[in-house]
Amino acid sequence: MVDFDTFSKSDFRAVKVKECVAVPKSKKLLQFTLDDGTGTDRTILSGIHSFYEPDELVGKTCIAITNLPPRAMMGIDSCGMLLSAIHEEEGEEKLHLLMVDDRIPAGAKLY
């Protein structure tokens, strides 16, 4: 269990995918360039390439936790985490990146 004060420290924001590319030399990682509403692009890496091709994600509005410390992956700092739903279907793992209504502006805070 996590108490409310701990949970409330998490900063969940709507982010717009400006660019998405496969990370060279990685079979799993996609590198996202995101508009998080701050005026400065945010880079997040996510190991979802086996579920999505980069070009199908450009222009989508997703949900990210934005106040995690940067984490180096394949020599690139990932500054946050995109949220996904994972489940099993017919014995196989499925992943769905959380995407929301495009009318939600970049930087909108989730509560």
Side-chain angles (χ1 to χ4, degrees):
M1 299 297 255
V2 175
D3 63 53
F4 185 78
D5 288 338
T6 301
F7 172 76
S8 66
K9 292 177 185 175
S10 299
D11 192 7
F12 296 95
R13 299 283 175 160
V15 294
K16 306 275 184 180
V17 180
K18 294 174 70 174
E19 184 179 11
C20 183
V21 296
V23 174
K25 299 181 183 177
S26 173
K27 293 180 181 180
K28 295 181 181 181
L29 289 176
L30 294 179
Q31 180 177 337
F32 291 82
T33 301
L34 303 166
D35 175 358
D36 64 3
T38 64
T40 302
D41 288 346
R42 175 180 295 271
T43 298
I44 292 181
L45 277 66
S46 184
I48 63 171
H49 197 186
S50 59
F51 300 98
Y52 291 97
E53 287 302 316
D55 59 339
E56 67 185 293
L57 298 171
V58 174
K60 301 295 185 187
T61 303
C62 300
I63 302 301
I65 182 167
T66 59
N67 63 336
L68 296 173
R71 178 178 174 202
M73 302 168 78
M74 300 290 292
I76 303 165
D77 277 347
S78 180
C79 299
M81 180 187 295
L82 293 170
L83 299 185
S84 298
I86 299 173
H87 69 282
E88 192 170 299
E89 191 175 298
E90 298 178 7
E92 189 176 319
E93 183 179 79
K94 300 287 182 176
L95 178 142
H96 297 278
L97 185 62
L98 286 180
M99 294 182 239
V100 297
D101 191 315
D102 289 331
R103 292 177 294 177
I104 299 172
K109 185 167 176 55
L110 280 75
Y111 291 97

